Amino acid sequence: MHTISRFVFTVVFFVTLPMHKKLNLLLFVLLFAVAPTLAQQPGAPVDVQHYRFALTLNDADNVIKGRATITVKFLKASTKLELDLYKKNTEGKGMVVTAVTENSRSLKFTQDSNKFVVDTKTAQGSIHNYTITYQGVPADGLIISTNQYGHRTFFGDNWATRAHYWLPCVDNPADKASVEFLVTAPLKYKVVGNGLKVLEKTLPHNKKLTHWSETAQLPTKVMVIGVAGFAVDNSGNPDGIPVYTYVFPEDKEAGFKSYAVAKKILPWFVKRIGAFPYKKLANVQSKTVFGGMENAGAIFYYEKSVNGREIETLMAHEIAHQWFGDAVSEKSWWHVWLSEGFATYMTNLYMEGTYGADTLKSRLAADRKAIFNFEKKYMAPVVDSIFKGPMINMLNDNAYQKGGWVLHMLRRKIGDTAFWKGITAYYKQYNGSNANTEDLRVVMENASSTDLKQFFNQWLREAGHPRLKITWDYNTADKTVAFHINQLQEKPYQFTLECLVDGKLYKTEVKNNAATFIVPVASATAIIKVDPNVNLLAEFDTGGN
């Protein structure tokens, strides 16, 4: 996910968002006023199997009319079905339910500010279909606006739990389901959504029905539609996957050209991770909150992205999310690094594979600097299990850059072969479902035949990083250099330190507060570089040499 302005404030702390999710500040303030906190996200005693959303949009006002048919499996016997849906507020924004039926039988229901409860007696393991009729002006989630050319647009924008502002659902990443969107809108619009387009039909009164259907299991955060006056191009079909571009007609020439890089990125990931999880990839110019949002099979990018200098890295990040975040989703928001850290590092790997090792080094160095700056504002582990604030603040340099750095150090620790073996196994095992950090650890241990408990705990469940004072001295008698390593932080880390001496790379394992290792040299004027390949997330003080 990418964003547009650089800073996000809360009453608790100040967070510098990474490039991939910089937020428009005004929009964030609006989100902050209504967005739930992490502590408010409950587990649900149901498993939604399928959503079918029939929506009617118009140009006269911002009212949407919805008819949602939801297939639900009850995980225990119940007398209630509880769904997430934002009720109409004092400003007139929100959804009002007018009817609920099961098999044409009317059911009683109640609404409060964020919940919608249906009276329904069910047995454990039973499956039911409920049809919910509702309407209202979305307070969020579906962004109804005008684009930079003054034309009206409608774009779903659900991260993290904003789907319930326009869709009745279980708005939790741990509950995944297949989804259909049947959109009735003025004839002039084109509609894009998850999955494949199975119907486009002209209706009376200058309207059109468009039906998109996705059979893969998705979290609500990436279920979307986009409705606008699009120009559409099929830039290619790498590995048999159609890659489409949807841009505003005014940006047709630039957009078709710049977005076409997706057909190069997609097969690079397919080759290394596994089959693309969806039946098409649409890259869509949009008007939403984020600069980039990884909606499954229908990625939304900010308006000016068609001329953006970083379009390739932006697309690589969002396309990587299709595997990590979309197909394999985190079990809870505490593990959001499994989405953002993966997309960050997969982008770095793509750039390394495309442009060389020096590109990876420069990106890692920049990420390392961002991590250290962030820790000065907020010191917490990557898996921040005590965090209780607004979920938007989970999108920080810990989740992105530090999560990516952990994957880089893991790759260096177990080697490329075991790393990619583990990545492909992780995707294969959890595709269509959810995973947490421990699930990843187990998979990577199996792939590498290595105990990774200490590594995962140290880098992901503890805050901070090593701060190293490194000195060295030359021994004339035996022509060696002795490196003296002192860890300045309170608790010692365990890591591999690399030093380049006269062009030869040496490695040593450091486990204690102080360590010394000795290497041969030709003379007292040896050229020495510490961490020459940017492989350790640490601060280095070598000023005494």
Side-chain angles (χ1 to χ4, degrees):
M1 197 185 304
H2 293 240
T3 54
I4 301 170
S5 50
R6 187 68 180 169
F7 301 111
V8 172
F9 296 91
T10 73
V11 295
V12 182
F13 55 82
F14 172 91
V15 177
T16 304
L17 279 176
M19 180 65 184
H20 301 296
K21 281 193 177 75
K22 288 175 300 189
L23 273 174
N24 178 283
L25 185 57
L26 176 60
L27 287 172
F28 173 75
V29 170
L30 295 175
L31 283 176
F32 180 72
V34 295
T37 64
L38 189 65
Q40 291 174 323
Q41 297 309 302
V46 298
D47 179 11
V48 177
Q49 309 287 297
H50 182 72
Y51 293 104
R52 179 183 174 94
F53 298 116
L55 301 167
T56 300
L57 312 177
N58 73 88
D59 282 340
D61 54 37
N62 291 342
V63 174
I64 67 170
K65 295 181 179 179
R67 185 179 173 87
T69 302
I70 305 177
T71 304
V72 179
K73 180 179 181 179
F74 284 81
L75 303 181
K76 64 179 183 180
S78 180
T79 58
K80 305 283 185 182
L81 169 65
E82 183 179 284
L83 297 172
D84 299 303
L85 187 65
Y86 186 73
K87 184 181 179 181
K88 186 176 181 180
N89 60 25
T90 56
E91 297 177 354
K93 291 186 176 181
M95 298 296 126
V96 176
V97 176
T98 55
V100 180
T101 61
E102 182 185 13
N103 299 325
S104 301
R105 181 172 62 90
S106 295
L107 301 177
K108 294 181 179 179
F109 61 89
T110 57
Q111 271 188 278
D112 63 21
S113 58
N114 275 297
K115 294 294 180 182
F116 167 64
V117 180
V118 181
D119 293 339
T120 177
K121 188 174 182 180
T122 60
Q124 181 176 349
S126 62
I127 296 176
H128 299 255
N129 289 283
Y130 301 96
T131 299
I132 302 159
T133 305
Y134 67 101
Q135 69 177 43
V137 176
D140 195 8
L142 182 67
I143 309 300
I144 303 175
S145 183
T146 54
N147 65 16
Q148 59 191 339
Y149 301 107
H151 303 309
R152 187 169 168 84
T153 61
F154 308 75
F155 287 102
D157 198 23
N158 291 347
W159 200 98
T161 55
R162 292 157 55 222
H164 73 282
Y165 288 106
W166 63 297
L167 303 171
C169 61
V170 175
D171 209 358
N172 187 310
D175 192 357
K176 304 176 77 168
S178 52
V179 63
E180 297 174 82
F181 285 100
L182 294 85
V183 180
T184 299
L187 184 62
K188 65 181 180 180
Y189 294 120
K190 289 186 173 70
V191 179
V192 63
N194 309 111
L196 295 177
K197 183 165 62 175
V198 296
L199 176 68
E200 189 174 59
K201 178 182 179 181
T202 301
L203 301 176
H205 309 296
N206 207 33
K207 296 184 180 298
K208 181 171 60 178
L209 171 65
T210 309
H211 181 185
W212 287 87
S213 177
E214 176 56 79
T215 57
Q217 300 290 298
L218 305 181
T220 52
K221 65 176 181 172
V222 293
M223 295 179 180
V224 294
I225 56 170
V227 183
F230 291 118
V232 184
D233 180 49
N234 174 210
S235 61
N237 301 279
D239 296 306
I241 302 299
V243 177
Y244 294 101
T245 294
Y246 284 72
V247 294
F248 305 139
E250 294 86 348
D251 292 317
K252 178 178 178 180
E253 182 177 353
F256 285 0
K257 181 179 179 180
S258 64
Y259 279 19
V261 72
K263 67 182 179 182
K264 179 178 76 169
I265 298 169
L266 181 61
W268 195 93
F269 286 129
V270 167
K271 182 178 179 180
R272 289 158 179 83
I273 303 170
F276 186 64
Y278 310 113
K279 295 176 182 177
K280 69 98 177 49
L281 174 62
N283 294 288
V284 184
Q285 185 183 17
S286 71
K287 179 69 178 293
T288 57
V289 172
F290 296 108
M293 178 60 212
E294 61 269 16
N295 308 305
I299 301 170
F300 289 176
Y301 303 92
Y302 70 105
E303 288 186 276
K304 297 187 183 301
S305 62
V306 294
N307 295 305
R309 291 183 300 172
E310 297 185 359
I311 187 62
E312 187 170 11
T313 55
L314 172 61
M315 284 198 156
H317 183 97
E318 305 305 339
I319 291 172
H321 266 309
Q322 303 298 294
W323 286 266
F324 305 111
D326 295 5
V328 181
S329 304
E330 56 271 63
K331 285 181 179 176
S332 78
W333 296 116
W334 291 331
H335 302 274
V336 71
W337 83 275
L338 293 173
S339 175
E340 300 304 343
F342 264 79
T344 298
Y345 191 54
M346 289 298 152
T347 301
N348 288 345
L349 288 173
Y350 167 79
M351 295 299 287
E352 177 191 30
T354 305
Y355 299 104
D358 286 345
T359 298
L360 175 63
K361 291 179 188 178
S362 65
R363 293 178 67 83
L364 286 168
D367 287 351
R368 184 164 61 186
K369 183 178 180 181
I371 293 164
F372 298 160
N373 287 337
F374 174 73
E375 288 180 348
K376 294 174 184 176
K377 305 177 184 76
Y378 182 63
M379 181 67 74
V382 173
V383 182
D384 194 356
S385 58
I386 65 170
F387 182 80
K388 305 294 184 185
M391 286 182 293
I392 197 69
N393 286 335
M394 297 294 282
L395 299 183
N396 55 43
D397 297 86
N398 266 352
Y400 284 79
Q401 285 93 331
K402 191 170 183 179
W405 250 100
V406 171
L407 290 173
H408 178 65
M409 291 187 291
L410 177 62
R411 175 189 170 201
R412 294 299 190 230
K413 181 177 179 67
I414 65 178
D416 279 17
T417 299
F419 177 80
W420 284 112
K421 179 182 177 182
I423 293 297
T424 57
Y426 174 67
Y427 169 63
K428 182 177 181 180
Q429 181 171 346
Y430 292 103
N431 180 17
S433 62
N434 299 77
N436 62 22
T437 301
E438 289 302 295
D439 296 323
L440 174 66
R441 178 184 62 78
V442 170
V443 172
M444 300 308 287
E445 286 185 338
N446 291 337
S448 63
S449 300
T450 303
D451 186 340
L452 296 171
K453 292 185 182 68
Q454 189 278 333
F455 176 90
F456 270 66
N457 285 336
Q458 168 181 279
W459 294 111
L460 294 166
R461 297 188 181 277
E462 297 180 6
H465 61 272
R467 294 184 292 113
L468 308 180
K469 172 69 175 179
I470 302 175
T471 60
W472 54 85
D473 52 67
Y474 176 66
N475 186 310
T476 305
D478 57 9
K479 292 186 177 181
T480 60
V481 165
F483 288 88
H484 308 288
I485 306 150
N486 289 281
Q487 300 197 49
L488 304 180
Q489 76 285 348
E490 182 177 352
K491 184 176 180 180
Y493 279 70
Q494 297 182 26
F495 54 84
T496 301
L497 178 67
E498 298 180 345
C499 293
L500 194 68
V501 182
D502 284 337
K504 185 174 181 180
L505 187 67
Y506 295 91
K507 299 181 182 181
T508 188
E509 297 301 317
V510 178
K511 296 183 178 181
N512 300 312
N513 285 316
T516 297
F517 79 104
I518 300 171
V519 301
V521 294
S523 71
T525 58
I527 299 173
I528 296 172
K529 294 182 179 179
V530 176
D531 192 38
N533 295 314
V534 197
N535 284 330
L536 180 62
L537 182 61
E539 288 184 271
F540 304 96
D541 178 1
T542 60
N545 295 281

